[in-house]
């Protein structure tokens, strides 16, 4: 029942982030010509902007902050977007988050707020935009394929602070502050560009960023580099569709992991850090929309192993079509705790350090 594409995706994660061995060498040779072609395309685009042949468009009367990465995903940028958006809002700004809504089934431009009674589902706006909207009350989330047009519409609607989700590669829109999120556990993977490796740009592109945001963990730091901004992405809550639970509820409990993420192994490690005993899993490709049969299968597997079925807040957004299933799954929410660099961020983004955001509402 587990999708073949999910197994392939998990295999690619192992290939990208682990030292090459065995069949990995052959796969690398097969992918190498495509990586060279991709490198040339990315290099040409960056060269055009570096020499002013192409110029980014400035969003009128708005301060623009971009949060992105140079990986294909899994660095933890969405909790950073939620953290910054709530901080901006606390400082009294009219904040709009701009997102492509990757994985959604619609192409229309949509604007959503947490206060709306009938929040569009993930098929319309995407899983990450929906999660951001739910956890950022009072903030508008604009979803569409063209972020320049989204910026124009958000500004016309009154936004004076724009936060670009996954914006490091959005070169055509000017930004005042560029933040790149890096996970110290995986570093730069094998250091290669797609499809040979997980990188969307070469490491040299980091020179464009104003700040490197280092996601600290309890594991070995594979980056071996200093970053002025360090933060821990930690558990903020554990809940299902009916109630919240203590953070210690999963300690020494049998757990079955269900996810469709860029790096499913990170999800498993997070569960293990909570003290849970992960006895099984069902992985799908990133942003996969679960079918009822797939959810029933995962629930059956969990029951057979006498385990709790646990997923992430992002995955939960793609389960909302099946309300009868929701009480049976536990969801954990990640949050951000700044370890250093708060003053630097406040000065760069013209925010008050006294209004530093500490926690966001859970996505119940």
């Amino acid at each position: 029942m587990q999708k073949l594409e999910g197994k392939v995706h998990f295999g690619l994660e192992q290939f990208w982030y682990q030292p090459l061995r065995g069949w990995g060498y052959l796969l690398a040779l097969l992918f190498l010509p495509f990586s060279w072609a991709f490198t040339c395309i990315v290099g040409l685009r960056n060269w055009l902007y570096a020499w002013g042949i192409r110029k980014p468009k400035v969003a009128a009367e708005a301060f623009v902050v971009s949060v992105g990465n140079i990986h294909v995903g899994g660095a933890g940028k969405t909790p950073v977007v939620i953290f910054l958006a709530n901080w901006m809002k606390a400082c009294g700004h009219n904040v709009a988050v701009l997102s492509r809504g990757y994985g959604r089934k619609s192409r229309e431009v949509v604007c959503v707020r947490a206060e709306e009674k009938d929040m569009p589902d993930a098929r319309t706006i995407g899983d990450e935009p929906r999660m951001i909207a739910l956890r950022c009350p009072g903030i508008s989330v604009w979803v569409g394929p063209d972020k320049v047009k989204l910026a124009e519409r958000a500004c016309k609607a009154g936004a004076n602070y724009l936060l670009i989700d996954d914006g490091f590669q959005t070169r055509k829109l000017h930004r005042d502050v560029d933040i790149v999120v890096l996970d110290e556990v995986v570093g730069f993977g094998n250091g290669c560009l797609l499809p040979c490796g997980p990188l969307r740009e070469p490491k040299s592109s980091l020179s464009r960023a104003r700040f490197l945001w280092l996601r600290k963990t309890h594991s070995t730091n594979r980056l071996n580099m200093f970053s002025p901004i360090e933060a821990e992405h930690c558990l903020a809550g554990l809940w299902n569709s009916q109630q919240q639970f203590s953070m210690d509820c999963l300690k020494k409990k049998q757990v079955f992991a269900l996810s469709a993420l860029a790096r499913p192994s990170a999800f498993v490690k997070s569960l293990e850090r909570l003290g849970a005993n992960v006895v099984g899993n069902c992985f799908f490709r990133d942003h996969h929309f679960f079918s009822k049969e797939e959810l029933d299968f995962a629930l059956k597997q969990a029951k057979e192993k006498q385990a709790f079925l646990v997923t992430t807040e992002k995955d939960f957004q793609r389960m909302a079509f099946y309300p009868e299933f929701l009480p049976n799954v536990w969801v954990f929410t990640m949050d951000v705790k700044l370890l250093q660099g708060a003053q630097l961020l406040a000065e760069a983004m013209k925010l008050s350090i006294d209004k530093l955001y500490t926690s966001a509402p859970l996505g119940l």
Side-chain angles (χ1 to χ4, degrees):
M1 191 70 185
Q2 185 176 357
K3 293 279 190 181
L4 175 61
E5 61 188 13
K7 295 180 180 180
V8 171
H9 190 82
F10 183 73
L12 277 177
E13 181 193 0
Q14 302 304 305
F15 169 60
W16 284 341
Y17 295 107
Q18 299 295 331
L20 289 178
R21 59 171 65 92
W23 62 271
Y25 287 106
L26 177 60
L27 195 58
L29 288 174
L30 291 174
F31 283 163
L32 196 56
F34 300 99
S35 283
W36 286 340
F38 184 72
T39 300
C40 291
I41 294 171
V42 171
L44 175 61
R45 184 196 61 179
N46 288 339
W47 180 84
L48 291 173
Y49 279 100
W51 285 90
I53 299 172
R54 298 187 66 179
K55 296 182 179 180
K57 184 169 183 178
V58 177
E61 300 180 2
F63 191 87
V64 183
V65 177
S66 165
V67 175
N69 54 32
I70 61 172
H71 291 76
V72 290
K77 61 179 175 53
T78 302
V80 177
V81 170
I82 293 170
F83 174 89
L84 295 178
N86 280 301
W87 189 6
M88 293 171 180
K89 177 65 179 177
C91 292
H93 297 294
N94 188 330
V95 184
V97 175
L98 313 181
S99 175
R100 178 186 172 190
Y102 187 82
R104 69 187 183 127
K105 306 301 182 182
S106 171
R107 295 283 295 175
E108 64 179 315
V109 174
V110 184
C111 177
V112 295
R113 291 176 175 268
E115 295 78 11
E116 295 180 1
K117 290 184 179 180
D118 298 316
M119 171 78 70
D121 62 37
R123 286 173 293 199
T124 301
I125 60 175
D127 48 16
E128 290 170 345
R130 193 172 194 273
M131 184 174 76
I132 293 168
L134 288 171
R135 298 196 65 204
C136 299
I139 290 170
S140 59
V141 180
W142 292 80
V143 185
D146 189 329
K147 288 175 181 173
V148 172
K149 292 182 179 179
L150 292 182
E152 292 172 348
R153 294 183 63 165
C155 288
K156 287 181 180 179
N160 68 328
Y161 263 64
L162 304 181
L163 185 54
I164 313 174
D165 176 33
D166 195 15
F168 193 57
Q169 285 75 38
T170 308
R171 300 296 305 273
K172 60 183 179 179
L173 180 60
H174 167 81
R175 69 287 313 277
D176 297 281
V177 177
D178 237 324
I179 299 172
V180 172
V181 182
L182 299 172
D183 189 335
E184 69 173 2
V185 171
V186 297
F188 299 106
N190 59 18
C192 298
L193 268 66
L194 290 166
C196 244
L199 300 185
R200 294 191 281 181
E201 295 193 56
K203 290 182 283 185
S204 58
S205 295
L206 293 176
S207 60
R208 296 201 318 265
R210 176 75 172 272
F211 294 114
L212 302 183
W213 177 298
L214 186 61
R215 179 182 178 180
K216 300 288 290 183
T217 66
H218 304 287
S219 303
T220 303
N221 185 344
R222 291 180 57 181
L223 281 171
N224 193 29
M225 63 187 297
F226 169 78
S227 174
I229 312 298
E230 293 187 355
E232 182 180 3
H233 294 205
C234 51
L235 180 71
L238 187 65
W239 47 275
N240 66 12
S241 60
Q242 298 176 329
Q243 61 182 315
Q244 297 183 32
F245 301 96
S246 164
M247 304 236 189
D248 296 326
C249 277
L250 294 182
K251 194 171 185 179
K252 297 183 179 179
K253 297 291 196 309
Q254 304 275 88
V255 164
F256 187 90
L258 171 63
S259 70
L261 304 170
R263 285 178 48 224
S265 62
F267 172 43
V268 172
K269 289 177 182 177
S270 295
L271 291 172
E272 291 172 345
R273 281 198 295 271
L274 291 176
N277 178 24
V278 182
V279 296
N281 63 71
C282 194
F283 296 147
F284 297 84
R285 63 174 175 81
D286 198 15
H287 302 285
H288 172 76
F289 281 86
F290 305 103
S291 67
K292 187 177 184 302
E293 291 73 23
E294 289 164 347
L295 295 177
D296 287 340
F297 173 78
L299 182 59
K300 180 181 178 181
Q301 291 290 304
K303 288 181 176 179
E304 287 179 356
K305 298 178 183 295
Q306 297 182 320
F308 292 99
L309 182 61
V310 183
T311 193
T312 69
E313 187 178 13
K314 172 181 166 179
D315 290 305
F316 185 79
Q317 308 306 320
R318 287 176 265 105
M319 300 177 185
F321 322 116
Y322 309 105
E324 71 280 7
F325 174 81
L326 302 184
N328 299 309
V329 61
W330 289 35
V331 185
F332 81 79
T333 294
M334 299 298 291
D335 217 337
V336 164
K337 178 182 178 182
L338 265 183
L339 303 177
Q340 71 176 32
Q343 188 62 48
L344 286 173
L345 282 172
E347 292 173 359
M349 296 190 296
K350 302 178 182 179
L351 301 176
S352 170
I353 194 72
D354 297 329
K355 300 289 186 178
L356 183 64
Y357 146 81
T358 55
S359 64
L362 300 184
L364 290 168

